[in-house]
């Protein structure tokens, strides 16, 4: 058998004592498409970062074409012909396809200026070689997202790598664009490139991938032949099944709840379409789906941060408009944004001044802010949410992520919303703070607040929510009530096209 | 409680109080002013005579009135280079109206409307069309000054009626009206900046525009409002200058933005937004005025004055930036 292009042996990596990769062995063969799958946090991105030399492994070795690499960094990875095409495109929309492909690497003529003819010729040859229907002089900004993705890959190909690592290239593509991309990847394979293909969409594993490498919680589960698997089996490999079998989600007493908000046929071109959802008073609903499925967009549209093209939103049976955050708040809707540092908090202000930002009226008398009320309000939240502080006058910038997140939540709740839209409310915070926030959520629900949340961890949704809605490609594909929660089923539903 | 404990307790209470005074943001500025006054008094005892102090305050009151607006703008994270031209504009408009025999009240209203209108225009361009504030107001500085010259063909409007000139030339209890007006405005707006719920929104906008927007604050509308307010205050200042001088001249207000901005920055207003107080700005402008006054008393060449004022502004901005960088690294 051929010598593998990449072979790793016992790769380990920890971040701050948290082991994200444990003893990873795998090999990439010449001319194959190796699928890399795993849940969020399984270690896929860390593994790619190690292979591209951006991050150094704590231990373990990497061999390229049978040669053991003593040190492995970005330079070695580049020299070994390993090229990563990231999910986010790095193209300049105002330049042509040819310029984008050769940017930073332009062929020069005798006078030392860019040889435009050569750029054009080489690009055309490249496009022809892989049978791509794009012209070299087209502006990248005029191309569809799918074709831009192909240009991005060609940019990597033009540097003649041996290995292409494609990080979720289809996450923002339409169905027909995916087909075009797949044909392109096929022709790359036929030309002898070895490809590591990372995907969230499991059916892709069965159409494009030769072998699939499964990661789970930083462990290698193994390499499998897709022909011997099906989607259900693959999901079972991705999640710790034994754990899930015994995992019972704490049952909740079902209360007779009134409807609060009805979302009818809400659509936004390119993000989601015909979205229908009712949320009851005191209900916690989770939106599940992979990156790019439209769940964030739905949340932002409901909070007035993103515009919509059509649809109706009714609150207590009355049609309302939420064209901006002010209108959303007037209707009792508030967003807990994803990025607490840039969208959520006022980092240079102290804790007490952050908490009333959406509720200035609450701490004012006749339009004047009353320090006593400010203090009382913050003190109340500090106590209720177990926010750890020396004083309420501490600047938010210097607090831990968990405390910051609690302050952000306090700021939202201080506005007395009736629907809290929480985007990944426990991202990057410690276990204790996370648990506190979950408790706060269920207390809020008990008091009649409605919550719509998304999370980068599916398990969190299942822990916290009364109901989980699955989205794929901007559409609702499944709905689960708490008594039917099963990690496999939900996972399967969000990975199905 | 033993004696030593008592002493320690008192000591710590004392140091806590001292610490609190030092923590008070304006303390360094007050110290700078105190040191400057002491040194200047030693060199030139005439520095502290009431007449000189009065003239420092009178001289800085026109800048202070604009700085009231500029402080609010800085807090919101905004910036305005057109204030000097706008002050000149309102003065010229009043001059034109008065010399065409319109009534004083009506002329003043037109002058203020003209200035406020420019502020509104700045606000709409910057907040709604998202054009860079520096460039917009730099352009507006030139445009408005150009309008002044076009309207007057470069000639001033001297000999304004006494009924108008009396506004800025009267004194109560020996204090000239511009000083009184300035202090009344500073106290009113100082209270609003520090305590009003409405104004607190500007601190949030300056702190993080995105977070403010998501918190349900009407960012764009408030931004337009604060630029309009700066235009209005520049107009008030321009009117008082015209009244004080008894005539409107086309170059009136030229270069004023520099002193106003320097005063705000020295006073602790941050270019990044979210910080600044009325009292700090007052002290900042006062420091600038004391420096100019000292130059005059000590007979420093006028050419050196601009250089040194420029350096002071640069040092103040540098201090602000370094402090911010350090904070963000922590």
């Amino acid at each position: 058998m051929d010598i593998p292009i990449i072979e790793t042996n016992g790769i380990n990596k920890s971040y701050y004592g948290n082991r994200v990769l444990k003893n990873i062995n795998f090999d990439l063969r010449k001319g194959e498409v190796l699928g890399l799958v795993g849940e969020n946090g399984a270690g896929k991105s860390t593994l790619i970062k190690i292979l591209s030399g951006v991050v150094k492994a704590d231990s373990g070795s990497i061999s390229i074409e049978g040669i053991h690499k003593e040190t492995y960094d970005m330079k070695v990875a580049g020299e070994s012909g390993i090229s990563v095409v990231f999910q986010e495109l790095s193209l300049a929309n105002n330049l042509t396809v040819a310029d984008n492909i050769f940017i930073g690497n332009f062929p020069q003529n005798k006078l030392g200026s860019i040889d435009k003819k050569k750029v054009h010729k080489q690009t055309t040859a490249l496009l022809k070689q892989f049978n791509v229907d794009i012209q070299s002089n087209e502006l990248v900004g005029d191309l569809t997202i799918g074709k831009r993705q192909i240009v991005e890959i060609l940019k990597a190909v033009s540097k003649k790598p041996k290995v292409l690592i494609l990080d979720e290239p289809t996450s923002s593509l339409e169905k027909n664009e995916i087909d075009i991309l797949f044909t392109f990847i096929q022709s790359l394979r036929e030309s002898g490139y070895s490809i590591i293909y990372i995907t969230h969409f499991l059916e892709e594993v069965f159409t494009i991938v030769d072998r699939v490498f499964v990661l789970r919680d930083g462990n290698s589960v193994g390499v499998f032949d897709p022909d011997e698997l099906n989607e259900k089996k693959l999901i079972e490999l991705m999640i710790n099944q034994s754990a899930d079998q015994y995992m019972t989600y704490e049952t909740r007493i079902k209360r007779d709840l009134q409807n609060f908000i009805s979302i009818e046929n809400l659509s936004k071109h390119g993000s989601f379409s015909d979205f229908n959802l009712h949320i009851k008073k005191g209900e916690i609903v989770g939106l599940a789906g992979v990156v790019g499925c439209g769940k964030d967009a739905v949340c932002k549209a409901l909070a007035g941060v993103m515009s919509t093209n059509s649809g109706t939103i009714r609150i207590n049976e009355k049609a309302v408009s939420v064209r901006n955050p002010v209108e959303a708040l007037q209707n009792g809707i508030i967003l807990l944004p994803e990025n607490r540092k840039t969208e959520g908090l006022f980092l240079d202000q102290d804790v007490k001044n952050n908490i009333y930002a959406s509720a200035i009226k609450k701490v004012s008398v006749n339009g004047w802010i009353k320090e006593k009320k400010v203090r009382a309000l913050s003190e109340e939240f500090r106590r209720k949410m177990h926010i750890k502080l020396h004083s309420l006058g501490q600047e938010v910038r210097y607090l831990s992520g968990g405390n910051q997140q609690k302050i952000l939540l306090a700021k939202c709740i201080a506005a007395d919303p009736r629907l809290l839209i929480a985007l990944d409310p426990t991202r990057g915070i410690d276990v204790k703070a996370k648990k506190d926030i979950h408790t706060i959520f269920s207390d809020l629900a008990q008091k009649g607040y409605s919550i719509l949340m998304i999370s980068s961890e599916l398990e969190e949704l299942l822990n916290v929510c009364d109901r989980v809605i699955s989205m794929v490609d901007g559409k609702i594909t499944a709905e689960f009530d708490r008594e039917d929660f099963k990690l496999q089923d939900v996972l399967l539903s969000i990975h199905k096209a | 409680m033993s004696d030593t404990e008592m002493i320690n307790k008192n000591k710590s209470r004392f140091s806590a109080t001292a610490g609190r005074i030092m923590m008070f943001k304006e303390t360094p500025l007050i110290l700078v002013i105190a040191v400057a006054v002491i040194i200047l008094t030693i060199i030139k005892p005439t520095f502290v005579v009431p007449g000189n102090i009065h003239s420092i305050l009178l001289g800085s009151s026109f800048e202070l009135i604009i700085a009231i607006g500029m402080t609010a703008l800085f807090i919101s994270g905004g910036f305005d280079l057109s204030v000097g031209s706008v002050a000149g504009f309102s003065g010229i408009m009043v001059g034109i109206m008065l010399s065409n025999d319109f009534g004083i009240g009506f002329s003043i209203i037109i002058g203020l409307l003209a200035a406020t209108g420019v502020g509104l225009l700045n606000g709409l361009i910057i907040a709604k069309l998202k054009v860079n504030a520096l460039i917009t107001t730099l352009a507006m500085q030139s445009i408005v000054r150009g309008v002044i010259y076009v309207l007057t063909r470069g000639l001033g409007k001297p000999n304004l009626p006494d009924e108008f000139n009396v506004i800025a030339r009267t004194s109560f209890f020996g204090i000239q009206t511009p000083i009184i007006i300035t202090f009344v405005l500073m106290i009113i707006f100082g209270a609003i900046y520090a305590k009003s719920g409405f104004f607190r929104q500007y601190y949030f906008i300056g702190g993080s525009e995105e977070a403010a927007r998501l918190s349900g604050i009407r960012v764009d509308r408030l931004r337009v409002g604060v630029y309009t307010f700066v235009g209005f205050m520049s107009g008030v200042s321009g009117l008082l200058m015209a009244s004080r001088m008894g005539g409107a001249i086309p170059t009136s207000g030229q270069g004023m933005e520099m002193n106003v901005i320097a005063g705000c920055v020295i006073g602790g207003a941050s270019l990044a937004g979210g910080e600044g107080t009325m009292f700090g700005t007052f002290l900042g402008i006062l420091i600038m005025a004391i420096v100019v006054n000292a130059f005059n008393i000590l007979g420093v060449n006028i050419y050196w004055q601009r250089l040194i004022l420029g350096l002071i502004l640069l040092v103040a901005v540098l201090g602000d930036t370094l402090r911010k960088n350090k904070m963000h690294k922590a």
Side-chain angles (χ1 to χ4, degrees):
Chain A
M1 203 174 79
D2 280 351
I3 300 164
I5 278 234
I6 302 179
E7 190 169 16
T8 72
N9 211 326
I11 298 258
N12 283 294
K13 180 70 195 174
S14 302
Y15 287 120
Y16 310 107
N18 189 6
R19 286 184 77 184
V20 289
L21 284 180
K22 297 163 204 162
N23 198 25
I24 301 296
N25 303 315
F26 91 98
D27 63 301
L28 175 67
R29 296 174 191 162
K30 221 178 169 93
E32 76 164 342
V33 177
L34 177 71
L36 177 56
V37 299
E39 266 202 279
N40 279 325
K44 288 172 299 187
S45 31
T46 309
L47 183 59
I48 298 165
K49 282 181 192 157
I50 288 173
L51 291 177
S52 58
V54 178
V55 166
K56 214 172 160 330
D58 297 335
S59 62
S61 69
I62 299 173
S63 301
I64 305 292
E65 292 183 288
I67 300 159
H68 171 68
K69 300 285 177 188
E70 207 55 59
T71 53
Y72 194 83
D73 53 20
M74 278 174 81
K75 192 157 169 269
V76 176
E79 286 164 359
S80 311
I82 292 166
S83 184
V84 186
V85 178
F86 288 102
Q87 205 175 331
E88 290 84 24
L89 299 178
S90 65
L91 302 173
N93 288 342
N94 55 338
L95 296 182
T96 64
V97 170
D99 288 343
N100 264 293
I101 288 179
F102 284 98
I103 201 161
N105 196 20
F106 282 115
Q108 293 178 345
N109 61 21
K110 279 175 201 150
L111 293 169
S113 65
I114 295 169
D115 190 341
K116 283 267 176 196
K117 260 188 205 151
K118 208 166 170 190
V119 170
H120 177 71
K121 226 172 84 189
Q122 289 186 359
T123 309
T124 311
L126 203 57
L127 292 166
K128 205 165 257 171
Q129 185 190 345
F130 298 105
N131 232 341
V132 182
D133 180 27
I134 302 174
Q135 299 305 314
S136 92
N137 57 0
E138 273 183 274
L139 283 182
V140 163
D142 295 337
L143 298 176
T144 62
I145 303 288
K147 285 186 171 171
R148 287 183 211 182
Q149 190 78 49
I150 290 175
V151 174
E152 181 86 37
I153 297 172
L154 281 175
K155 187 175 158 183
V157 168
S158 76
K159 287 162 195 149
K160 311 227 181 325
K162 289 177 188 140
V163 177
L164 280 167
I165 301 178
L166 307 181
D167 185 10
E168 294 187 34
T170 54
S171 61
S172 47
L173 300 192
E174 309 263 331
K175 184 80 190 73
N176 59 330
E177 292 184 314
I178 293 176
D179 293 339
I180 296 171
L181 185 74
F182 279 2
T183 317
F184 172 63
I185 291 175
Q186 298 279 15
S187 61
L188 283 172
R189 170 168 54 190
E190 278 153 27
S191 312
Y193 289 97
S194 310
I195 295 166
I196 298 178
Y197 187 88
I198 299 134
T199 184
H200 266 310
F201 299 106
L202 297 187
E203 81 271 11
E204 293 183 351
V205 167
F206 301 96
T207 51
I208 185 100
V209 160
D210 298 310
R211 292 188 305 152
V212 57
F213 178 42
V214 184
L215 282 174
R216 180 176 70 214
D217 291 334
N219 290 298
S220 147
V221 179
V223 179
F224 303 89
D225 181 347
D227 294 342
E228 292 166 10
L229 291 174
N230 57 36
E231 282 183 31
K232 201 160 183 322
K233 278 188 186 157
L234 188 52
I235 289 268
E236 284 169 7
L237 293 171
M238 280 164 60
I239 60 179
N240 197 337
Q241 210 201 347
S242 55
D244 189 54
Q245 260 170 5
Y246 299 104
M247 183 118 175
T248 48
Y249 299 101
E250 192 191 325
T251 48
R252 287 205 185 123
I253 305 153
K254 267 213 159 177
R255 287 166 296 152
D256 192 20
L257 301 170
Q258 283 173 286
N259 189 42
F260 172 64
I261 186 170
S262 305
I263 303 146
E264 293 158 15
N265 301 318
L266 203 64
S267 295
K268 166 84 182 170
H269 296 321
S271 294
F272 54 87
S273 56
D274 291 326
F275 188 90
N276 286 285
L277 178 64
H278 301 267
I279 304 175
K280 299 192 189 77
K281 287 176 184 158
E283 188 183 30
I284 307 179
V285 177
L287 277 185
V290 299
V291 175
C293 74
K295 60 185 197 292
D296 304 62
V298 167
C299 290
K300 286 180 181 164
L302 291 177
V305 181
M306 191 189 249
S307 64
T308 53
N309 299 109
S310 60
T312 316
I313 299 170
R314 286 177 212 282
I315 288 179
N316 295 329
E317 311 309 323
K318 219 179 92 212
V320 297
S321 91
V322 284
R323 286 166 305 180
N324 52 52
V326 179
E327 283 188 350
L329 198 54
Q330 281 163 354
N331 289 303
I333 303 173
I334 198 158
L335 181 76
L336 189 145
E338 198 170 10
N339 195 329
R340 57 179 166 265
K341 288 191 173 166
T342 57
E343 307 166 313
L345 295 167
F346 304 94
L347 294 176
D348 297 330
Q349 300 271 1
D350 59 20
V351 175
K352 58 184 189 323
N353 278 327
N354 267 275
I355 287 178
Y356 67 81
S358 295
I360 294 175
K361 283 212 178 86
K362 226 179 178 179
V363 294
S364 313
V365 176
N366 299 327
W368 298 95
I369 291 188
K370 292 289 166 216
E371 204 55 33
K372 225 184 220 167
K373 288 193 165 220
V374 170
R375 209 157 261 286
L377 183 75
S378 345
E379 200 59 63
E380 180 193 328
F381 279 109
R382 174 197 197 168
R383 207 183 47 242
K384 267 200 226 152
M385 296 193 170
H386 310 288
I387 306 173
K388 285 189 210 73
L389 301 169
H390 299 300
S391 92
L392 291 168
Q394 263 183 295
E395 268 177 42
V396 168
R397 179 183 298 282
Y398 303 110
L399 299 176
S400 71
N403 278 324
Q404 286 184 346
Q405 197 67 24
K406 284 180 183 175
I407 291 164
L408 179 56
L409 182 55
K411 184 186 128 194
C412 291
I413 298 170
D416 291 327
R418 285 170 293 162
L419 170 64
L420 173 70
I421 299 179
L423 304 185
D424 220 350
T426 62
R427 190 173 66 160
I429 67 175
D430 59 284
V431 182
K432 172 77 176 59
K434 193 168 180 171
K435 228 179 146 200
D436 286 346
I437 286 180
H438 291 169
T439 313
I440 295 164
F441 274 22
S442 54
D443 288 350
L444 288 172
Q446 284 294 333
K447 284 182 199 144
Y449 288 80
S450 309
I451 297 173
L452 176 66
M453 70 181 280
I454 61 180
S455 169
S456 50
E457 291 167 56
L458 199 49
E459 287 88 340
E460 179 175 38
L461 290 185
L462 300 186
N463 267 323
V464 177
C465 295
D466 298 306
R467 194 149 56 99
V468 166
I469 311 289
S470 297
M471 280 184 80
V472 174
D473 264 347
K475 287 200 166 63
I476 294 178
T477 53
E479 187 174 331
F480 302 88
D481 279 323
R482 191 166 181 87
E483 53 268 29
D484 308 325
F485 280 175
K486 242 181 152 200
L487 191 53
Q488 281 112 302
D489 297 348
V490 182
L491 257 180
L492 201 58
S493 72
I494 64 173
H495 285 104
K496 236 184 188 144
Chain B
M1 196 186 285
S2 75
D3 284 355
T4 44
E5 268 178 355
M6 191 76 121
I7 289 164
N8 279 341
K9 206 177 170 201
N10 281 339
K11 218 186 224 169
S12 70
R13 191 179 294 156
F14 171 76
S15 60
T17 315
R20 215 168 292 143
I21 290 170
M22 285 314 293
M23 280 293 287
F24 190 54
K25 267 190 295 192
E26 282 83 15
T27 308
L29 296 175
I30 295 171
L31 291 178
V32 167
I33 291 174
V35 171
V37 168
I38 290 167
I39 292 173
L40 286 167
T41 312
I42 293 168
I43 299 173
K44 277 262 174 181
T46 49
F47 178 77
V48 280
V49 299
N52 193 40
I53 290 170
H54 194 258
S55 82
I56 289 176
L57 289 176
L58 183 63
S60 49
S61 56
F62 307 104
E63 280 160 10
L64 275 170
I65 290 173
I66 300 178
I68 293 170
M70 192 69 87
T71 303
L73 187 57
F74 266 108
I75 290 168
S76 76
F79 195 80
D80 192 344
L81 288 172
S82 70
V83 289
S85 296
V86 175
F89 189 37
S90 78
I92 284 290
M93 286 309 288
V94 170
I96 292 173
M97 296 299 289
L98 289 173
S99 54
N100 284 305
D101 296 327
F102 283 97
I104 289 178
F106 184 66
S107 303
I108 289 177
I109 290 170
I110 293 297
L112 289 177
L113 274 181
T116 312
V118 177
L120 176 65
L121 200 57
N122 276 333
L124 289 173
I125 294 172
I126 293 163
K128 297 279 183 192
L129 303 180
K130 317 285 176 206
V131 182
N132 177 291
L134 197 98
I135 302 300
T136 303
T137 58
L138 182 66
M140 203 57 82
Q141 180 192 78
S142 178
I143 291 168
V144 172
R145 188 64 67 187
V147 169
I148 294 174
Y149 283 119
V150 169
L151 287 178
T152 61
R153 291 192 213 92
L155 302 171
K157 298 284 169 198
N159 307 322
L160 297 180
D162 287 340
E163 295 80 5
F164 175 73
N165 298 343
V166 77
I167 297 172
R169 289 180 176 177
T170 314
S171 51
F172 293 95
F173 311 109
I175 302 169
Q176 293 282 334
T177 39
I179 301 178
I180 297 171
I181 292 170
T182 303
F183 274 80
V184 168
L185 289 175
M186 278 200 303
I187 289 165
I188 293 171
F189 285 104
I192 289 174
Y193 296 172
K195 290 281 166 202
S196 94
F198 170 78
F199 192 82
R200 196 57 59 95
Q201 297 178 96
Y202 283 112
Y203 280 98
F204 288 128
I205 294 173
S208 167
E209 180 168 339
E210 201 44 40
R213 201 186 303 279
L214 292 181
S215 303
I217 290 171
R218 295 176 194 271
V219 175
D220 293 352
R221 202 180 286 187
L222 288 169
R223 270 199 193 290
V224 175
V226 72
Y227 277 99
T228 311
F229 175 60
V230 173
F232 175 79
M233 293 307 274
S234 306
V236 172
S237 173
L239 286 182
L240 288 174
M241 281 193 283
S243 165
R244 180 80 198 169
M245 289 185 287
I249 44 175
T251 54
S252 173
Q254 213 153 40
M256 244 176 139
E257 62 281 345
M258 148 100 184
N259 287 8
V260 171
I261 289 168
C264 289
V265 174
I266 293 169
S270 172
L271 291 169
E275 282 177 56
T277 59
M278 192 66 252
F279 186 49
T281 294
F282 168 64
L283 296 175
I285 296 275
L286 198 61
I287 287 177
M288 293 290 283
I290 288 173
V291 170
V292 173
N293 187 266
F295 286 154
N296 294 336
I297 289 182
L298 302 175
V300 175
N301 184 316
I302 185 92
Y303 301 123
W304 280 96
Q305 293 193 8
R306 289 212 68 79
L307 192 156
I308 292 170
L309 288 179
L311 278 177
I312 293 175
L313 175 59
L314 192 62
V315 168
V317 174
L318 214 60
D320 173 48
T321 309
L322 290 179
R323 198 171 48 86
K324 273 265 140 72
N325 287 348
K326 202 171 142 197
M327 210 157 75
H328 287 240
K329 234 174 256 166

